[in-house]
Structures are given as C-alpha cells and as structure tokens.
Amino acid sequence: MLGEGFARYEWHNVAGTRTLILKVGSASDNLLIPSVSAPDKASSECAEDMDEHVGPRRMILIVPGNPGSIQFYEEFAVRLWELLGASKADAVWGVSHAGHVFHSSLTEEIFDGNDYPNLRFQITHKSHFVRECIPESVEEIVLIGHSIGVYISLKVLDELSRSSWSDRKLRVIGLFPTIERMAITPHGRLYTPVLRYFRWFLLLTVYGLSWLPEGLQRLVFRWYGPDMADHHFCAIRGLTNYHSFRNSILMARDEMEQVLELDGDLIERYVDRVVMYYGNCDHWCPVDYHTNIKQMFPAGQFHLCDQGYEHAFVLKHSLPMAQLVAKWLT
C-alpha cells in the first residue's frame, strides 16, 4: 500500500476496445484492487458504469507514454491525489492505450479497420474517453500526458476545443514530451531501424519470455530492476504477451514516422492552457527542443528539469514528479 490513497483498476469499453482504467481514491471509497489477471470479471461499458461516479469537480487524467499500460503510473497517480489533499473534489484517473494491455479478446479486436491500434487511433480512443466516460459533475479536465502521451493529449485538446463538445475547461500538462522530430533524436536514430527491420527479433524474444513461469519472469525482471515495484512488474509482465507487445512496437514505428515538425500553430492556440516539463538528459527529447519552443513562446510555461530525472520517471521519480505537478494544479 502506497499511503492513504488506493488504486483501483477497471476494464471499460472505449471506442470499441477493452481498456484498462486506473482510478485513485481513499479507503473510505471502498476502492479495492481487483486482479488484473482476470479482466473479463471487471468489464463494463463507460456509459453504464461511470454515471455512478458523481461528485468530483476536476478530473486529472493520465495519458501514458509507450508502452501504454497505465499500471506503470500507479504510484505517481496515488501520490498526486494525496498531494492534492485527497479531496473528493479531485479525481485522478488514468487510461491505458488501446491494445497495450492483454485481455482475452485482444486478438479479435479491430481498430478502425486496422489490425493494430495505430497512433491516430490512440488519439481517437482518448478523445472518445474524454467525451463519453468522464462524470457529468466534472467542470475541468487536466490531461497529464507523458512522452507520446503529450502528443496525444495536445491533439485531443485541439479536437475537442474546435468542436461543440462541451463548455468544460480543458488543459494539458506534458511531462518529458515527444511532440516533434522523434526519429532524429538519439534514441530515435537507434530504434527507428530496429522498429522497421528487426521487429521480428524483438517479437521472438518476447514470445520466448511469455513461456516462462511467472516466478522465473519475476527473477529475470528483478535482475534487471532489483527495486522494481509490484505494479511495475505487473505492467512489464503484461508486455510479455506477443499481441500487446506487437501493438506497442507498431505504434512506436508510427511515432518515428509521423511525429515530425513541431506544430507551432497548435501550441500558439493553446499556449495559455499548456504546461510542459522537459528533461535535461532525455534521449527522446534533446534540450535544444526545449530551447527552441521557449524561444518561440517566451511567455509559455515550458520548464527544463534541473534534477536529472529520467524520461521514464515512473520507475524512480514518481514522488518528486507528483510534487511538481501538484504545484501546477494548486
């Protein structure tokens, strides 16, 4: 248990796909943690189930990076909810990427006519969730995107703001954003050829891992990360499934090919509704990307990390990042 906050996982139908949702609350809310190994038992439709959740005035919705299992963000979400005062006025939820968390019918799902959930579908998926699955009591929605989740969140902000969807306030906090020129970053140059030509090797490796007993998998992952939390292990173990891992790396290929020049017009339209936090040692987003956007929008809230936090902050720095975000929210 992380503290006074509890994390609950639920499966919901979002844009026609079964999606794992994280919700944070207090013990008095009877928020128990069901087994994520039996997703069918927790399945429900958004409209039916979420109408019961009334009360919060502000929704903080976490949009993950890639891989997009929301389980990686459990500690961050709980800490953030606690730092916001553990108030019933605030809800902290997170939504997994479509197809990134294995369930029994994953192999049967079709994603807008495609056999994998591409980057465009993930934007549609999150837009659908915001439109259809947020309680009616919510007056303000804050999308907290991480990595490619920032790109997705900005697209959702633009789509919903341009539509007649709602008069709710909507803004974005972007953590370690990958919103431009991904393929030419240090990691992009390394992984783009792998994603294009050597996917088969990655898939074969994961397929082999999937046959290992859970205990042996745990030993392998503990060797790689001896301080790995249980929720990190659950998230990583879920990626040892061939189908969810394939969806993740195909989406990563899309990112390299489609996240190109910075959409300055979009940033300009919503600069007063966007906060971003860049890493100073981020191989997915070099420091000069922060320098450039700060020069383009000097009055914008574009911060540069001075603590050495890594791109995958959820593995080691959930608490200090939650503290930063809480300051921007209060």
Side-chain angles (χ1 to χ4, degrees), residues 2 10 46 66 75 107 119 124 133 138 141 150 159 161-162 171 192 194 206 212 216 250 252 260 273 276 301 316-317:
L2 295 171
E10 299 174 358
C46 281
N66 185 5
E75 181 181 1
T107 58
L119 183 56
T124 300
C133 301
V138 171
I141 301 169
V150 184
E159 288 186 6
S161 297
R162 287 168 171 268
R171 57 193 178 112
T192 297
V194 175
V206 166
L212 296 178
L216 193 52
L250 287 176
L260 303 173
R273 289 197 265 166
M276 289 195 198
Q301 294 193 63
K316 296 180 180 179
H317 300 112

Side-chain angles (χ1 to χ4, degrees), residues 209 211-223 233:
L209 281 172
W211 284 95
L212 296 178
E214 179 179 346
L216 193 52
Q217 287 183 357
R218 187 178 292 271
L219 284 175
V220 172
F221 297 140
R222 292 294 186 193
W223 174 80
F233 171 75

Side-chain angles (χ1 to χ4, degrees), residues 107-221:
T107 58
E108 302 168 8
E109 288 185 337
I110 300 296
F111 309 93
D112 276 354
N114 298 303
D115 65 348
Y116 77 97
N118 58 27
L119 183 56
R120 176 62 247 179
F121 183 83
Q122 298 294 358
I123 297 169
T124 300
H125 180 259
K126 306 309 176 293
S127 180
H128 179 98
F129 186 88
V130 173
R131 288 174 184 270
E132 305 295 335
C133 301
I134 301 295
E136 293 184 0
S137 64
V138 171
E139 299 170 355
E140 179 183 8
I141 301 169
V142 183
L143 302 178
I144 300 182
H146 173 222
S147 191
I148 193 62
V150 184
Y151 179 89
I152 293 170
S153 296
L154 288 172
K155 294 296 186 182
V156 171
L157 170 64
D158 189 43
E159 288 186 6
L160 295 184
S161 297
R162 287 168 171 268
S163 70
S164 57
W165 160 67
S166 174
D167 58 357
R168 291 169 165 173
K169 298 177 182 177
L170 183 62
R171 57 193 178 112
V172 170
I173 294 177
L175 307 178
F176 302 92
T178 53
I179 58 174
E180 60 172 307
R181 298 176 287 167
M182 287 187 66
I184 64 171
T185 63
H187 272 356
R189 293 182 188 278
L190 174 64
Y191 288 108
T192 297
V194 175
L195 293 168
R196 285 180 178 170
Y197 308 116
F198 300 102
R199 290 194 307 275
W200 60 269
F201 178 77
L202 298 176
L203 290 167
L204 186 62
T205 301
V206 166
Y207 182 74
L209 281 172
S210 69
W211 284 95
L212 296 178
E214 179 179 346
L216 193 52
Q217 287 183 357
R218 187 178 292 271
L219 284 175
V220 172
F221 297 140

Side-chain angles (χ1 to χ4, degrees), residues 11 35 37 39 41 81 113 152 160 187 192 204 211 247 272 300 326:
W11 286 85
S35 170
S37 63
K41 297 180 181 179
W81 183 78
I152 293 170
L160 295 184
H187 272 356
T192 297
L204 186 62
W211 284 95
N247 288 340
D272 59 336

Side-chain angles (χ1 to χ4, degrees), residues 26-157:
S26 67
S28 61
D29 294 327
N30 295 317
L31 293 179
L32 304 178
I33 304 176
S35 170
V36 295
S37 63
D40 294 335
K41 297 180 181 179
S43 176
S44 59
E45 295 286 339
C46 281
E48 295 178 1
D49 188 74
M50 295 193 186
D51 284 346
E52 299 175 3
H53 295 270
V54 295
R57 294 293 177 264
R58 181 170 61 174
M59 169 67 65
I60 293 93
L61 182 64
I62 301 168
V63 181
N66 185 5
S69 171
I70 201 59
Q71 292 162 297
F72 282 115
Y73 298 81
E74 180 180 315
E75 181 181 1
F76 172 74
V78 171
R79 295 303 189 194
L80 179 58
W81 183 78
E82 292 172 348
L83 289 163
L84 291 173
S87 169
K88 290 184 180 294
D90 289 315
V92 178
W93 290 7
V95 54
S96 293
H97 289 326
H100 285 211
V101 184
F102 182 75
H103 55 82
S104 59
S105 56
L106 177 60
T107 58
E108 302 168 8
E109 288 185 337
I110 300 296
F111 309 93
D112 276 354
N114 298 303
D115 65 348
Y116 77 97
N118 58 27
L119 183 56
R120 176 62 247 179
F121 183 83
Q122 298 294 358
I123 297 169
T124 300
H125 180 259
K126 306 309 176 293
S127 180
H128 179 98
F129 186 88
V130 173
R131 288 174 184 270
E132 305 295 335
C133 301
I134 301 295
E136 293 184 0
S137 64
V138 171
E139 299 170 355
E140 179 183 8
I141 301 169
V142 183
L143 302 178
I144 300 182
H146 173 222
S147 191
I148 193 62
V150 184
Y151 179 89
I152 293 170
S153 296
L154 288 172
K155 294 296 186 182
V156 171
L157 170 64

